[in-house]
Every structure is written in C-alpha cells, then in structure tokens.
Amino acid sequence: MEDEAQSMDNPTDIDSEAERPHQPLTTFPDTTNTPDPTAQDSLGDDELQRSGAEQDVARQAKTNAVPSLAASPLPSTQLPHTSSIPSTNEPTLLDAGSEDEEPATAAGFERSTSPASALHRNKGAEYRKVGEEGVCKMHRFSLYETVNWFYLVGGDVMDQKFRILKIDRTADSGDLIVVEDEIVYTRKEMNQLLNAVDDGNKASGGLKLKCTTWGVLGFIRFTGAYYMLVITKRSQVAVIGGHFVYQIDGTELISLTTSSSRSKAERIPEEARFVSTLSNLDLSRSFYFSYTYDITRSLQLNMIRERKAFGQGLLRKSLDYHNGMFVWNQHLLGPASTALQNTYDWCIPIIHGFVDQTNISIHTRTVSITVIARRSRLFAGARFLKRGANDLGFVANDVETEQIVSKALTTSFHAPGPQLYANPNFTSYVQHRGSIPLHWTQDNSGVTPKPDIELNLVDPFFSAAALHFDNLFERYGAPVYVLNLVKSRERIPRESILLHEYTNAITYLNQSLPEGKKILYKAWDMSRASKSRDQDVIGTLEASARDIVSRTGFFRNGDNVYWKSSIQNGVARTNCIDCLDRTNAAQFIIGKCALGHQLQALGIIPNETVEFETDVVTVLSHMYHAHGDMIAIQYGGSHLVNTMATYRKINQWSSQSRDMVESFKRYYNNSFLDRQRQEAYNLFLGYYTFAQGQPMLWDLATDYYLHHADPRAWSERRRKNYIKWFDPCHLEERRMRQEVGPKGALANKPIDFFDEYWIEYYRPTNLSAFPKILSYKVNSMRKYPSPKETQDGASELNLPQSTPISKNNQQNNDRPETEMSSLITSSLGHDGKNPLSGEKLPGNVLSDWLRQPSRQLQSEPTSNNNLQPLNNSQKPEKPLKDKSAATQWTLNEFVANSLNPTVVESEADEYLRYINHPSNLPLVVSTEDPPHNSDFLVYIQSNSPDAAAQMLSAEDDIADFEEFVNVGDDPLTVTDADTPKKRYKAYRQWLKGRSLFKQQRADLQ
C-alpha cells in the first residue's frame, strides 16, 4: 500500500494528478470538510456523515478497492451526442415522440461541476460493496475516455447507484487489462470521481464522453488489439414476471487502442477485412437480452433452479448462471470472464431467435401469450452449408421454442405469502426443432435449386444420433417424441434416403432404452398429404398433437400445497428436410393443443379444446407465423414459403405469386450470400480465431474442421459405449421442490433482495404514459387483425358498430350467414336471446355489454321511413326526442337506450337518402340521353352559355393581377411609390398604428 501511495502522489504521472491530496474532486456546496452545525437538523445521520467525508473518493478507492482507480485516464473521440440521464429526484415527462417508455438510445451519466472542496473524508463514511444487500443490477452505461484509459460508468435502473470500470488502451497487442472497482457509488460520489479524473488529465485533453450504451456484449480480437462490442439501441418486446426482455436495435464496435495505434491497425488489410466480415452479421435483428431474467433457459428450468438455490441456502449467482448452448456472445464473454470478477454485472448474454408477446381477453380475463425461440450456437450456420449433425451430436437449425401463457392477475413470479417463485398463474410448454441427426450434406455449388442429398458417413452405431438424443434427454427428460415429416415417396429419391436411415437409427437406439423411456417415433409424408384431396392434414396433426401433449405434459407453477404444480417431462422434436415450412405448421398445431391445456389449468376455459375460428387461436397463428418467418430468414434467407393457410387450404390465389417470390429469394440467398453469412457466424461465434501461420478465414475451402472435433484428439478421447449410449440420470423424472422459501442466512431477507422486479417494472420515480408502456401496447387487438374477413377485405370487428344494417344495403345481404352471425352476437336483449334468430345464447355472454356495449342495429325501412329500434320491448318508457338531453338520463335509461338505440325521423330520412343515392346514378356511360328527372341532367342544364360568358374576368381584375405578379429588382425594399399598391395594404395599416404589436417606424430610405 505504501508503493501505491507513492505512485499516486507522484506529480509527474498524468493519472496521479487526480489523486493529489489537495486537488479538488468536484464542486458540491455543503460538502466542505467541516459541516455547518446549523445543517445538522436538516440532514440525516448518513447524509451528515457523508457530507464532508466522501470528498476524498480517490483515497477510499486506494484503500478499499483497486489501486489508483480514480487516477487513471482513457482515450477516444467524443461523439456529438452527450445527453444525460435526468435525475430521478423528480418525475420526468416522457418524450412525446418516443414509441417506448424509454428511448431507444441510452442517456449518458449526468456530470456536474461546482466550486472546489476539500479532499478529506470523515472517519465514519463508508461505501457499499458489490454483493451487499440493496445493490442493484446495472441497466445503462456511459463510456468515457482519456488518452490512456477507458472508463465505463454503470448505473442501476433507478439511476441512484453507480459502479465504474477502467480499461487500459495502451496494453500490448493481445492483452486485455481491465480494472474492476467493487465499490458502489452514489451520484454525488461518482461525480467527484469523474471530475477528479478530468482534472488529472487536463493537460492531455481531459475526460470525454465516448458513447452511451445499454450494455456490453464482450470483447473480441482479430490480428491485433481487442475490440469492445456494446449495445447502442434497444427496444422492449416482452415482459415476463415483471422482467423486461429487449431486442437489440443497434451495436457499435469500439477499438480499445489509442488514436495512433488505431490508425496503424486500420492500415493492416487483414484487420480491416476481419472487421468487414463481422459486419455481415446483422446484430440489430432478432437478438434479445434481459437484465434480470435468464432468457437462455425455459421458465420451468428457471423456477426449478431458483427453488433449488433456496433449498441449499444459496444465491442464484452461485449457480451456473446461463445456458451456454444459447448464449450467442459466449466467445466474446471469454476474455471478459478472465479479466473481470463479476462478468455478468457488466456483460450481457444474448440469444438469437425470436420473441413476441401479446395480451388477449378471453371471457373478460386478460391472458398474456409469449413465444420465445432460442437458436443454438453449436453447429450454427446457413441452410445448405450446415446440414445434419456434427460428430459431437449437435444438429443444424437447432431451435427451442417456448410458449408461455400467464394470467395477468399479478405481475411477479411470487405467490402471496410471500412464497417466492410459486405464482400459479404461469404456464409454459417447450418444443424442439432440428435437422435430422445424421451425417448428410447438400452441395449447392451448382445452379440446382434442390441439390442432391448425400449420406457422407454410414455409421452402424449411429454415434451422432446417440449423442444428440442423450443431449435431448439431459435438456428435457423422457420421453422424446419424434415427428418426422420428410417425404416418403419420390420419383428421384432425395428425402426418402434420410427417412429410411433415420428410421433405422431410432430402431437401433430404442433397443437399449428401458420401457417407458423409449423414443416415440412417427413418420408422415406431410407434403404428399397436403396435395391430396382425401387427406386431412390438420386433423392428422391435431391427433398427433394430442398424443404428444398427453405424454410430455406441460409446466404449471405452484407451491404444491395450495396450488399443485406440474412439470413437463419430455419434448416433441419436429423436423422436415429444412425444419422450416412443414415443421412450423406442425409446431403451431402442437402449440394450439398445448394452449388449450394451459388455459384450462389457469381456469379460463372448462376443457382443453380451443377451436380454429376463435380470436385466441388466430392470435397464436399470427405469432407462430412471425416465428416461422424469422427462423426461415435466419436459416434459409427468406420468409416461409408454405404457411398455415397453405396446409389448411384456405390461401388465396395471390399467395401463389408470393410463394414464387419467396422461393426465388431463398434460392438467391443460398447461392450467393450464404458463404459470407457463414464466415460472419464462424468469426462471431469463435469457431475461427486468427493464428500466425494458419490460413485466413476467407481462404478456407471448407469450414468442416471448424465445427467438428479435431481428428488428432480422437485417440485421446474415451469412446462411448455403443449399447449404453445414454446417461441413466438424464432419464429420471423431473419434480418440483415443495420448499418455496429461502433457507439458512437468506431466510429473513425481503423479496427485493432476490428479485427487483418491482423497481424494473413499475419505475416508481418516473412518470409513465399508457401508450408508451409495453403492457399496454402488446394488446392483441392493436397488433393483429380480426380473425374473420369480409368479402371486400375489411375486418368485421373493425366495422363501425353504430352503422344500422338495412336490407336495402345489398352488400350486407350478400355476406355469408356465418359471417353475419359474428356481427349480431354482441347485441343482446335482457332476455339473453339473439334479437334476430331468437335463439338462447350462453349466460356468460350477458355480462359482455358492461365491458363493451354494442350498438349494432338491424331494421327495415317502414312506410313512414322510420328506422325501428332493435327490440321494441326494451325501449325506454319516455324516449328522448332530443339527444342533447342525454346528460340528464339516469343510469337505467342510459343502459336501456344503449341496448336499444333510436333515431329521430329527420335522421332516418337523411340516412335513407344517403344509402339510396348510389342506386339513382347510372352505372354505364352511353350516348343515350339520361332521364329527365336525373340529377345529372339538371346539373348540366344549369350551366347555360350566358353563365359561362359571365365567368370572363374584367379589365380591372387583369390589371390588378399583372401588377401583383410584377416584382421589382429589389423586392425586399419598400419605396414611397410602392405604398399605394394593394400588396402593401397591411404595411400601410402597420404604419398608421393599427397593428396590435406596433413598433417604431422603419427607415424606408
């Protein structure tokens, strides 16, 4: 410590200037070394203790944290946007133009300067350290730079607690030097620290703001120094248990070198090409993260792990925090985990796939539906370049899809009591898709849209399939239900080759599995069935879905005391040849079946069946369609070619042209763009790392050895048993622990010690607007169209509900009866009958008028052209003739008039003239004279030749017009000769003093 003190007090060191004993750190009034005794009544003990003591921030950093932290400077260029985070001491209004509650771009740390103050701190002042109670997760970051250092300042969601990290810019090439400060500062303390660093580097330019970020994705290097990848823009896409899930909308790659070193590196062609290759991976699409919720694992695994940690008296941080299979920046987190002690406090793991959420009202109960797709980073790549499985058992296009259905009664995962992570209103179901786990490829070097399928290795023991299914047992348990949708009959065998080999593999692997744990296998040619007129594709899929869900079950949270929980054991593994179009349709049907079970478990519906022609299934269909499109773009380069409408045989003729366009886009991307995208994948995921003497990434003829095990290591690796190819522990049934409370030292901790969802979700110090809150915007009626469409393409639920329906309106009469029924279902009388058919409707529908009163009308014009009410028996006793008197209605009269609206005679006549007007117009233009009583003829005859002659302009008007359009050489100068002109009339009035805002007379010379 003495050496540290000597180095910090050395006046020749640039950084040490910030640590001089008498150098002022910042400028806060009322923070002098000796507090004013008169201020003791207005300050608390803590505040009084800190008021003068915490000026010496650098000395505390020297004794309690890392040495000479405040003294170190950083380098870089200052970006023009140096916005600051508003203080949370008072509410801040949201930007009216912002679409979200928070802006897409992070605001920087708000620095302030004030008069100098002494650097001595009081003896009793203390800093909180990381890991202590009350320390929050950091949500926004500001990156500052001096000549030799980067400073990363992180703040919590309340903008009240801050931490700092410094990165050396002068380190040798290949070295990453990061100094982490474990002290948690207040805003005032962080201001002092940054101002001290700024003062210590005044000679070299001071401390500058480089950029503001929402998080750090990690560090990566190519041929020279390291780069830091940060998130610059984000948007909210979902909220799960009060924890927000964000999509990355923008990133920035920052070189961790000085300006001179960066200019030298840019002149190296290999370095520049590596940076260009990495930019081919668009990180602003379909990458997601969350600060406080582990989106790399399913809801079931998160709840089980939390309870397991409580049962052992451990915090969640002491467990394996994330599932590395779905962490796409795992390679970038490697250097960070070596240099940092608390890696995930600064760096954020991200997933690649799809996230969507919507809210829908079912029987007046709001239900939240969330679909999350996680793409595996192992053996990841483009369509024709990554097929089958590698020798480690990882398959191409491996995607885990989770469907979370929750009842929006409470926000958090916790039940009343409190019982931690035991809220029974959360359910989930998990599916899996992936390429056929065999060694097969397709050569797309030619121009054939569908290259031949080749089995590269015929393994009698099916080692790759064995490793893959053992991994599925480990992740999901048993049984695994395989739904194979490849073609079985072809003129030229392509997919059928894999069908027979895959069937043999399942048969071989099932020989060793115990009864009740065997792989359930069903092969069905879905493509052939969809082209046949006598086969029901949807019916066959629904039968398989019911069988799958009944065998695997689904997850429902609970405490096993008051609310019984259920666990999903096993998974449905669906595949076709690409795992895109057919697979997505099958997964939707399985998700629809699981949705019925989830809604029944939540008490929303009495049975587990949901029909297609319902709003909730339509919403789910839209979500799975978007889910399939995103997965298809990531793997195949285009949207889905065959959608659910194709397999339900309800698609329109226009969809054929769309399918052709998507097929061409997929062919173009696979032939010309996939190679560049695969190189970006290999570089970002760390499959390729630069080494001296090794070929460059773009010089490799194939990346086969990047994704497969090194053959030189085969002799050292222990060969797995061909008969006992699975781990028996993976077949054990998963159960939920009954203990829901923390144990040991954690028993008496409050909820916010474990889960800070309240602060993150409700934001108690911010003023929020409903249209900008995610929970308000995810309403299904705002995101998705109505399930039924009229013949002209308009949504029925979007029709004006106050428009009367008349028999004279032939367009309404042409509608099918099934469509018309949806219009009148919500217009009910007090007897609960359909006002048109008289049929008795379900009793639970009668309460809907309180939630959304309908004003649908249907009546016939009578002889006196009056529109009759919908139900005369329910007319008010004294109907009001003047609607302006509606404010004087009683509640009963208001309800009765809403259920039975009336119109006055003048309004009825006007409406009848309006709807009958088109029938009086000629629809065909001819040379024959129109009828004498035609309105068109009357209009033509009204324009006589005399009237046309009167339209000529007078000479005075023409002269005035010529005078107005003639503009002098200097039109801005007004002379005395110009004053009489008409164009200066307002100017003359201003000179006479008639203007309200009269000023001094202008000098006209």
Side-chain angles (χ1 to χ4, degrees), residues 484-511:
N484 188 11
L485 303 177
V486 299
K487 298 178 181 179
S488 59
R489 296 177 59 185
E490 299 172 294
R491 293 182 179 178
I492 301 176
R494 293 180 60 258
E495 298 184 13
S496 57
I497 299 175
L498 298 177
L499 172 64
H500 301 311
E501 192 72 10
Y502 195 17
T503 304
N504 296 334
I506 299 297
T507 304
Y508 172 80
L509 296 177
N510 273 336
Q511 295 178 3

Side-chain angles (χ1 to χ4, degrees), residues 215-463:
V216 179
L217 296 181
F219 304 89
I220 188 173
R221 67 179 294 265
F222 308 121
T223 62
Y226 273 92
Y227 294 85
M228 181 170 63
L229 189 61
V230 299
I231 303 172
T232 56
K233 292 183 180 180
R234 72 177 190 189
S235 58
Q236 297 174 351
V237 293
V239 56
I240 305 173
H243 304 281
F244 285 105
V245 178
Y246 301 91
Q247 177 178 332
I248 298 177
D249 295 330
T251 59
E252 183 178 355
L253 191 66
I254 301 174
S255 177
L256 301 181
T257 57
T258 59
S259 301
S260 59
S261 301
R262 187 183 306 113
S263 61
K264 294 179 181 179
E266 291 175 352
R267 290 194 292 268
I268 302 176
E270 291 81 5
E271 184 77 10
R273 185 161 182 179
F274 275 122
V275 175
S276 177
T277 300
L278 186 64
S279 65
N280 291 330
L281 179 62
D282 189 4
L283 292 173
S284 62
R285 294 182 61 183
S286 62
F287 284 88
Y288 307 89
F289 70 94
S290 177
Y291 296 106
T292 53
Y293 180 72
D294 185 8
I295 58 174
T296 64
R297 301 182 189 272
S298 64
L299 178 65
Q300 173 176 307
L301 289 180
N302 282 330
M303 297 298 102
I304 292 178
R305 293 174 70 252
E306 293 289 354
R307 296 195 188 183
K308 179 181 178 181
F310 291 156
Q312 299 174 357
L314 302 174
L315 284 174
R316 180 176 55 184
K317 295 179 63 174
S318 60
L319 301 175
D320 181 20
Y321 198 65
H322 298 286
N323 185 359
M325 186 176 189
F326 301 113
V327 179
W328 268 64
N329 57 335
Q330 184 77 15
H331 175 61
L332 282 71
L333 295 176
S337 60
T338 304
L340 297 174
Q341 183 177 357
N342 304 288
T343 306
Y344 294 110
D345 288 354
W346 301 96
C347 300
I348 301 173
I350 61 174
I351 66 170
H352 186 33
F354 173 80
V355 176
D356 191 18
Q357 185 178 64
T358 186
N359 290 342
I360 186 169
S361 179
I362 305 176
H363 299 324
T364 71
R365 301 181 185 181
T366 302
V367 175
S368 176
I369 303 177
T370 309
V371 176
I372 303 176
R374 307 174 181 91
R375 177 179 292 278
S376 172
R377 66 177 180 88
L378 305 173
F379 203 53
R383 181 189 179 196
F384 286 133
L385 301 179
K386 288 293 168 285
R387 290 297 212 185
N390 62 4
D391 53 5
L392 300 178
F394 301 115
V395 298
N397 199 20
D398 188 322
V399 181
E400 174 185 286
T401 301
E402 181 180 14
Q403 175 180 301
I404 301 176
V405 180
S406 59
K407 192 162 52 174
L409 290 179
T410 55
T411 301
S412 71
F413 292 126
H414 316 297
Q419 294 180 337
L420 300 181
Y421 299 98
N423 191 342
N425 295 321
F426 285 88
T427 64
S428 75
Y429 186 79
V430 177
Q431 303 182 62
H432 176 270
R433 74 168 71 185
S435 187
I436 297 176
L438 300 172
H439 295 289
W440 63 280
T441 57
Q442 284 182 281
D443 184 12
N444 69 328
S445 57
V447 295
T448 305
K450 295 182 178 181
D452 294 335
I453 296 176
E454 299 179 2
L455 275 172
N456 305 106
L457 177 63
V458 179
D459 183 5
F461 304 104
F462 303 100
S463 302

